[in-house]
Amino acid sequence: MFNRKEYKVQALARLKGNWRINLLVSATILVLGWISNLPFSRYYYDSFQLYLIFTLLSIAIAGIAAMALAYFSIKFFKAGEAVSYGTFIEGMNLWLKGILATLWVSLWLFLWGLLFIIPGIVKSYSYSQIYFILAENPNLSVSKALQISKIITRGYKGELFVQDLSFFGWVILSLLTGSLGLVFLTPYYQGAKTHAYAYLKEQALSTGTLKASDFTDLN
């Protein structure tokens, strides 16, 4: 049974005594997010070439950051390993997977978004586990990881949406602090998401929907 409350409890329990390293990673993610949004400044609209270049740069930064965070989260929350800031940096070695995953997901979400907003939102949850899957199984192709994400989220997209919705109040409070609160909220939110991913993967394996070999098969 998908239990979002339990995933939150597990996230907080794991963070106890380990907040410092998580806050450092969280602060880095927020800085990278701020940098990745710079290309959308109105100053670049005067030149399409510059706008295109910096937009691709923005996507690259966002992809690398998302992959590094997923890698860190898998090690810390799911595997329960001792981690350091170097673990987060190590996750950046998967930079190409992160960029390709972001480009691939963005393309599909754009196409689905053409069918109105709701299909795009639904598909965003269908693709939402791709970074966790690639972080845990870096030898997988991006297209295979996307297919696995679609499989393990089948029947759980509504649950994932409600889980995100349960953080809405915290997001509002964080924004009222000038986004400083997001530094504290991100580890909590990411921890809950990681535990949810662990459950989705376990369910798919235990029910035979997927086999262990599916996470190593490149085809």
Side-chain angles (χ1 to χ4, degrees):
M1 172 179 160
F2 190 97
N3 192 336
R4 61 182 180 277
K5 291 183 179 179
E6 180 61 25
Y7 306 147
K8 289 181 175 182
V9 170
Q10 292 173 343
L12 288 175
R14 183 70 178 108
L15 285 167
K16 187 177 182 180
N18 294 289
W19 275 99
R20 182 177 298 179
I21 179 60
N22 279 274
L23 292 178
L24 182 57
V25 169
S26 177
T28 304
I29 289 295
L30 291 178
V31 169
L32 290 174
W34 176 75
I35 293 174
S36 70
N37 282 321
L38 286 179
F40 295 99
S41 166
R42 61 183 178 84
Y43 297 110
Y44 295 113
Y45 279 81
D46 294 334
S47 170
F48 176 76
Q49 290 82 2
L50 274 178
Y51 178 72
L52 180 61
I53 290 172
F54 281 103
T55 298
L56 291 175
L57 179 62
S58 174
I59 291 174
I61 294 173
I64 294 170
M67 183 57 67
L69 180 60
Y71 182 86
F72 177 88
S73 299
I74 287 292
K75 296 287 186 181
F76 179 74
F77 289 106
K78 185 173 184 290
E81 298 179 10
V83 296
S84 65
Y85 191 72
T87 307
F88 174 72
I89 299 300
E90 186 179 327
M92 290 188 176
N93 291 331
L94 299 174
W95 62 271
L96 184 56
K97 293 285 187 179
I99 293 173
L100 291 177
T102 302
L103 285 170
W104 196 231
V105 168
S106 296
L107 173 62
W108 280 107
L109 289 181
F110 170 75
L111 294 176
W112 280 106
L114 295 177
L115 299 176
F116 300 112
I117 295 176
I118 299 301
I121 293 175
V122 171
K123 286 298 179 180
S124 71
Y125 283 97
S126 183
Y127 306 152
S128 62
Q129 309 303 304
I130 188 171
Y131 295 107
F132 289 127
I133 294 167
L134 287 172
E136 194 172 30
N137 311 276
N139 290 325
L140 283 179
S141 67
V142 169
S143 59
K144 180 65 181 291
L146 189 68
Q147 289 302 314
I148 291 176
S149 180
K150 290 163 63 176
I151 291 171
I152 67 176
T153 57
R154 193 174 297 153
Y156 291 100
K157 290 184 281 292
E159 297 280 5
L160 292 169
F161 173 74
V162 173
Q163 177 172 288
D164 278 352
L165 198 62
S166 70
F167 283 94
F168 185 72
W170 289 111
V171 171
I172 297 300
L173 288 175
S174 297
L175 293 177
L176 291 176
T177 65
S179 298
L180 181 62
L182 291 176
V183 176
F184 291 87
L185 178 59
T186 298
Y188 178 30
Y189 173 67
Q190 187 69 12
K193 284 181 61 179
T194 306
H195 286 296
Y197 161 70
Y199 171 79
L200 296 177
K201 179 181 178 181
E202 180 184 349
Q203 277 296 105
L205 291 173
S206 64
T207 58
T209 305
L210 288 173
K211 303 187 294 290
S213 59
D214 289 321
F215 291 87
T216 57
D217 183 8
L218 302 182
N219 298 315

